[in-house]
Amino acid sequence: MPDTAAGTGTDGIAQRTTERAPERAAAVGRRAVLAASAAAGLALLTGCGEAPPPGRSDAKPAPRPSHGSPTPSTTSGPTGSSGSHGTPDPDGTSHRPHRPRPRPELPRGGRELFPRYRMVGFCGLPGAAALGRLGTGDPAERADEIERTARRYAAGREPLPVLELLAVVANSTPGPDGAYRSRTPAATIARFHRLARRRRAMLLLNVQPGRAAVLDEVKALRKWLVHPDVGVALDPEWEMGPGEVPGDSFGRTDGHELTAVARYLAGLVEAHDLPEKPLVFHQVATSVVREQSALRPQPGVALIKSADGIGSPGLKRGTWRRLVRDLPDGLHTGFKLFYEEDAQGGGRLMSPKEVLALRPQPEYVMYE
């Protein structure tokens, strides 16, 4: 049974001996958030799907790099105009030449994420500020902040801002279907997808499945996943087995299940000629992802293992070293930071310089 602390689980016993107070406080805080979100239920989430009020700055475009992706164009059809440069048909009519539709690209150009980009983003859900920074204030202002933060992490790469929206939220109560999770309304996801499009950012849909089947929850998001700027983030800490309740203990996944999700995404990439699609899995302890050796990379999918866990810089470095040890081939790395919880008990938030000093260097940095 995994440890119920919210920091490093059974992997960090020695370090928790000296930092027990902040670990306990963080664990209590996260469970309180979970209970609050369950109490609010779908009424809270449904309120997040309203259109932004007039005067908001959602339409502010992100800076366009000089090498940005070309503006998509549609295939031209017959015109019959005298100014056409097409080849005339035998009957004398003229048509524009057929131009193939450009292949879909990532938000800021190209079809492969790494090593060109470093992804940096915020996680959260509007209307539930305690679940992450993305859920606080005006989403457009958060997008501005993400852009600025991403630039601090460039370090020789191009920054790619990320909006990691909680699309499936684990609950401490079963709900009408007994799945211990709530799905974020489609209107909310659509609104954040529009914002991501305007800012040329990546939208990651975060899944905390509760007792629901992970692959079923990912498939339920298909209408967004067929877009070139939408990926998936899994939170197996909140993936419960029969009889388990989110918040009571850590959940778990394994390499076989992660491979099944990656294979599904690879199928969408192939069917829709999409650019590389990110699949992130946040891992708070080694016990949360079992049989990692069974994980198999899939074509068109960038697998990213994100080191989770709350604590001081020293505690987080220890978690990082354990989680990246014996990293399988083809697996990229990510790192998760908590604005409030990391600073509790006399701790502090790690700086971009400290995060970039980790080895291997994280390719996705996420703030909650």
Side-chain angles (χ1 to χ4, degrees), residues 64-154:
R64 299 189 66 92
S66 58
H67 46 69
S69 57
T71 303
S73 60
T74 56
T75 303
S76 300
T79 64
S81 64
S82 59
S84 170
H85 298 288
T87 303
D89 285 346
D91 61 2
T93 61
S94 178
H95 295 269
R96 293 185 184 276
H98 176 79
R99 296 178 182 176
R101 186 185 300 272
R103 300 181 74 188
E105 293 192 340
L106 293 165
R108 302 197 173 189
R111 289 178 55 87
E112 292 186 0
L113 284 164
F114 308 121
R116 175 173 175 176
Y117 293 107
R118 192 180 318 279
M119 298 166 55
V120 179
F122 292 170
C123 180
L125 180 69
L131 294 180
R133 199 171 188 88
L134 189 62
T136 63
D138 182 348
E141 292 178 359
R142 295 288 77 76
D144 289 340
E145 188 178 2
I146 293 169
E147 182 79 44
R148 293 191 298 269
T149 303
R151 291 174 189 167
R152 298 177 66 194
Y153 280 96

Side-chain angles (χ1 to χ4, degrees), residues 1-24:
M1 175 66 67
D3 191 286
T4 57
T8 56
T10 55
D11 305 299
I13 295 175
Q15 288 174 305
R16 285 204 309 274
T17 301
T18 59
E19 302 199 50
R20 190 177 302 273
E23 286 282 319
R24 185 182 296 114

Side-chain angles (χ1 to χ4, degrees), residues 207-231:
V207 175
Q208 301 177 357
R211 290 191 195 173
V214 172
L215 187 55
D216 288 348
E217 296 304 308
V218 173
K219 288 181 177 180
L221 299 169
R222 183 185 183 280
K223 65 179 291 184
W224 290 282
L225 295 175
V226 296
H227 293 284
D229 52 358
V230 182

Side-chain angles (χ1 to χ4, degrees), residues 4-346:
T4 57
T8 56
T10 55
D11 305 299
I13 295 175
Q15 288 174 305
R16 285 204 309 274
T17 301
T18 59
E19 302 199 50
R20 190 177 302 273
E23 286 282 319
R24 185 182 296 114
V28 172
R30 294 187 88 182
R31 289 204 186 88
V33 168
L34 182 66
S37 67
L42 286 174
L44 167 69
L45 297 179
T46 303
C48 303
E50 300 174 357
R56 282 174 54 153
S57 56
D58 290 30
K60 179 181 177 181
R64 299 189 66 92
S66 58
H67 46 69
S69 57
T71 303
S73 60
T74 56
T75 303
S76 300
T79 64
S81 64
S82 59
S84 170
H85 298 288
T87 303
D89 285 346
D91 61 2
T93 61
S94 178
H95 295 269
R96 293 185 184 276
H98 176 79
R99 296 178 182 176
R101 186 185 300 272
R103 300 181 74 188
E105 293 192 340
L106 293 165
R108 302 197 173 189
R111 289 178 55 87
E112 292 186 0
L113 284 164
F114 308 121
R116 175 173 175 176
Y117 293 107
R118 192 180 318 279
M119 298 166 55
V120 179
F122 292 170
C123 180
L125 180 69
L131 294 180
R133 199 171 188 88
L134 189 62
T136 63
D138 182 348
E141 292 178 359
R142 295 288 77 76
D144 289 340
E145 188 178 2
I146 293 169
E147 182 79 44
R148 293 191 298 269
T149 303
R151 291 174 189 167
R152 298 177 66 194
Y153 280 96
R157 295 194 182 194
E158 297 176 37
L160 179 58
V162 174
L163 311 180
E164 186 169 323
L165 180 70
L166 298 177
V168 182
V169 184
N171 293 337
S172 58
T173 54
D177 59 359
Y180 287 84
R181 61 92 178 91
S182 298
R183 290 176 174 174
T184 298
T188 303
I189 298 177
R191 178 156 64 94
F192 274 80
H193 187 212
R194 289 193 297 270
L195 177 60
R197 279 274 173 94
R198 284 190 282 266
R199 300 309 181 88
R200 300 174 67 236
M202 179 70 68
L203 176 67
L204 287 185
L205 300 179
N206 182 293
V207 175
Q208 301 177 357
R211 290 191 195 173
V214 172
L215 187 55
D216 288 348
E217 296 304 308
V218 173
K219 288 181 177 180
L221 299 169
R222 183 185 183 280
K223 65 179 291 184
W224 290 282
L225 295 175
V226 296
H227 293 284
D229 52 358
V230 182
V232 172
L234 303 178
D235 237 333
E237 175 186 350
W238 305 107
E239 181 179 343
M240 302 290 113
E244 296 178 340
V245 176
D248 286 352
S249 62
F250 284 157
R252 70 200 65 82
T253 187
D254 59 40
H256 300 285
E257 184 172 64
L258 293 173
T259 298
V261 175
R263 188 174 294 121
Y264 172 73
L265 295 179
L268 295 181
V269 169
E270 181 179 11
H272 297 273
D273 191 28
L274 299 173
E276 192 170 41
K277 192 170 288 292
L279 171 56
V280 178
F281 60 96
H282 297 292
Q283 185 173 355
V284 69
T286 55
S287 60
V288 169
V289 180
R290 302 180 178 183
E291 297 184 74
Q292 184 175 261
S293 60
L295 183 57
R296 298 288 182 269
Q298 300 297 312
V301 178
L303 281 166
I304 305 169
K305 175 177 181 172
S306 174
D308 202 336
I310 293 167
S312 67
L315 189 60
K316 294 176 80 75
R317 290 189 190 98
T319 301
W320 172 263
R321 287 191 293 269
R322 284 186 295 277
L323 293 179
V324 301
R325 187 181 301 139
D326 301 323
L327 204 66
D329 292 338
L331 199 58
H332 303 274
T333 56
F335 194 69
K336 192 171 180 179
L337 296 155
F338 296 83
Y339 276 108
E340 295 183 4
E341 291 92 334
D342 283 352
Q344 290 176 350

